[in-house]
Each structure stands twice: as C-alpha cells, then as structure tokens.
Amino acid sequence: KAGVTQTPRYLIKTRGQQVTLSCSPISGHRSVSWYQQTPGQGLQFLFEYFSETQRNKGNFPGRFSGRQFSNSRSEMNVSTLELGDSALYLCASGRGSHEQYFGPGTRLTVT
Amino acid sequence: EDQVTQSPEALRLQEGESSSLNCSYTVSGLRGLFWYRQDPGKGPEFLFTLYSAGEEKEKERLKATLTKKESFLHITAPKPEDSATYLCAVQAGGGGSNYKLTFGKGTLLTVNP
C-alpha cells in the first residue's frame, strides 16, 4: 500500500510570495492533517480536513489556508510568506480518529 | 490546553545499554497517546497507540507503557539503527471531532556501537 506522498519535497521562496503544497493521502483515508515542524517549536498542528470539510484549525494566522478535494487529496497555501514560515511542512492521513501516518514533508525555505 | 513534555531532550547510549524515554502529558480526556520515530529529513514513522492506563505495546526492542499521567518508551538492548528522534503525541477526547495531535519536542536518541 502506497504511503502518504507530498510534493514538492523542497521549495525556496522569497518573502511576500505565496506557495502551495500538495498531499496525497493513503488510499482509503479521508482525513488529512497538516503540521509545521521547526527546531524551536517542534510539530504544531495547522488544520485537519475530512471529506472536504475543515474540521479543526490550529493557532496560525489566516495566511495559512488549505482545502481538500473529493479524492481526499489536499493542498495547503501560505500567502505573503515571511522568513519565520521556513519549516518542514508535514501532511498526515488517517481514518479520522486513531493514528495518523505522515508523509516525508516539504522543506520550505523563505529568503 | 493540552501539553506534552518529553525527557530527556537527548540520550546517548552504548549498544546493548537499555533505557527509557519519558512522556508526561496533560490533556482534557485522553483519546489516545501515540509514539513516533523520526529520522533526519524524514516524516515521523508511526510506532504505537496506547488508549488507557495500564496498556502496553511491544515491537522488536521497543515497549511502550501508559499511566494516567505519563508514558514510557523502553528500549531494550538498543542497536545503532535505533538512533532517531522519538516523538510522543496525545489526542484529546471529550467527544466532538477534534482529532489533532499535540506533540512533545521529542527525545534525540543516539546509540553508539
């Protein structure tokens, strides 16, 4: 069974630009969550989607948004990038409750 | 607010030297406690889920246990390939559909040959 895939794996952007990250969940998983990982803050929850609806949202500014498509694939968008947005962005899929399975992440560098 | 504290931050062991990692948590009703392993540059890899106090799970050299306030990850006779960051996360219960995971900062384990 294929795991969670994320594209692109690496991204370099300039302050003020926007970026879109993509996540394909494990087949059959309808829940997709996004997390930001930085050395200082660790893993922090961004938001979770289930059947195309955002169920939960973390404490991040409105510049961070996402969506989920009918095939459960999800995208995350960050607008007006800031230097502090440099991080590893991780996508995880699951069946709603219980364990979540993570993808390899997208390493975003903002210069 | 849910909180997870892991200790120690870093642990260096000799191959074969058993030890334990600690995860203390504060959560409004525990739905589940999760252990993950993360290698550099990779996403976290799922290891265990524990649901209630007294529960134990084992996988190869790893054994996870759970009490009402903390969880331990015991590593028996570790090998160099067990070197990684071990992450603990909690999922709060209390009904509703909030399935977010709250993570600790992790324990960086290094096993020397």
Side-chain angles (χ1 to χ4, degrees), chain A residues 9-10 31 33 35 37 39-45 48 55-59 88 90 96-105 107, chain B residues 1 31-32 34 36 38-49 51 85 87 91 96-106:
Chain A
R9 292 293 313 280
Y10 303 92
S31 168
S33 298
Y35 295 82
Q37 187 175 31
Q41 299 298 318
L43 271 147
Q44 293 188 292
F45 173 76
E48 186 232 355
R55 287 201 298 197
N56 302 290
K57 191 177 192 307
N59 297 323
L88 181 66
L90 292 159
S97 60
H98 309 297
E99 56 268 12
Q100 298 176 16
Y101 297 89
F102 284 83
R107 172 72 62 184
Chain B
E1 186 177 322
R31 176 178 274 140
F34 305 86
Y36 288 86
Q38 187 174 26
D39 294 299
K42 297 188 176 182
E45 174 190 347
F46 170 74
L47 293 174
F48 303 109
T49 308
Y51 294 105
T85 296
L87 297 164
Q91 192 177 64
S97 59
N98 187 351
Y99 298 111
K100 77 167 190 176
L101 295 178
T102 300
F103 280 86
K105 296 286 180 69

Side-chain angles (χ1 to χ4, degrees), chain B residues 8-106:
Chain B
E9 290 185 12
L11 181 63
R12 190 176 293 271
L13 300 174
Q14 288 299 122
E15 185 172 2
E17 180 186 2
S18 301
S19 188
S20 295
L21 312 182
N22 178 263
C23 170
S24 299
Y25 63 90
T26 304
V27 65
S28 52
L30 181 69
R31 176 178 274 140
L33 185 141
F34 305 86
W35 282 98
Y36 288 86
R37 168 195 170 127
Q38 187 174 26
D39 294 299
K42 297 188 176 182
E45 174 190 347
F46 170 74
L47 293 174
F48 303 109
T49 308
L50 301 167
Y51 294 105
S52 56
E55 189 174 1
E56 299 182 351
K57 293 267 180 82
E58 285 190 67
K59 180 181 180 180
E60 296 180 358
R61 295 177 292 283
L62 300 177
K63 178 180 176 180
T65 62
L66 180 65
T67 72
K68 288 187 177 180
K69 293 185 177 181
E70 57 191 348
S71 176
F72 293 93
L73 185 65
H74 308 277
I75 304 176
T76 302
K79 298 182 178 182
E81 53 261 42
D82 294 322
S83 298
T85 296
Y86 290 85
L87 297 164
C88 171
V90 296
Q91 192 177 64
S97 59
N98 187 351
Y99 298 111
K100 77 167 190 176
L101 295 178
T102 300
F103 280 86
K105 296 286 180 69

Side-chain angles (χ1 to χ4, degrees), chain A residues 21-93:
Chain A
L21 312 181
S22 181
C23 171
S24 292
I26 292 171
S27 177
H29 287 184
R30 295 163 64 189
S31 168
V32 173
S33 298
W34 289 89
Y35 295 82
Q36 180 196 67
Q37 187 175 31
T38 59
Q41 299 298 318
L43 271 147
Q44 293 188 292
F45 173 76
L46 281 157
F47 29 66
E48 186 232 355
Y49 288 86
F50 185 85
S51 294
E52 301 179 68
T53 300
Q54 185 182 90
R55 287 201 298 197
N56 302 290
K57 191 177 192 307
N59 297 323
F60 279 81
R63 300 186 296 108
F64 292 81
S65 63
R67 58 178 176 169
Q68 186 180 32
F69 302 95
S70 58
N71 61 359
S72 293
R73 191 177 69 85
S74 177
E75 287 183 347
M76 190 192 97
N77 184 273
V78 188
S79 62
T80 319
L81 284 166
E82 300 177 0
L83 294 179
D85 296 333
S86 295
L88 181 66
Y89 289 89
L90 292 159
C91 166
S93 78

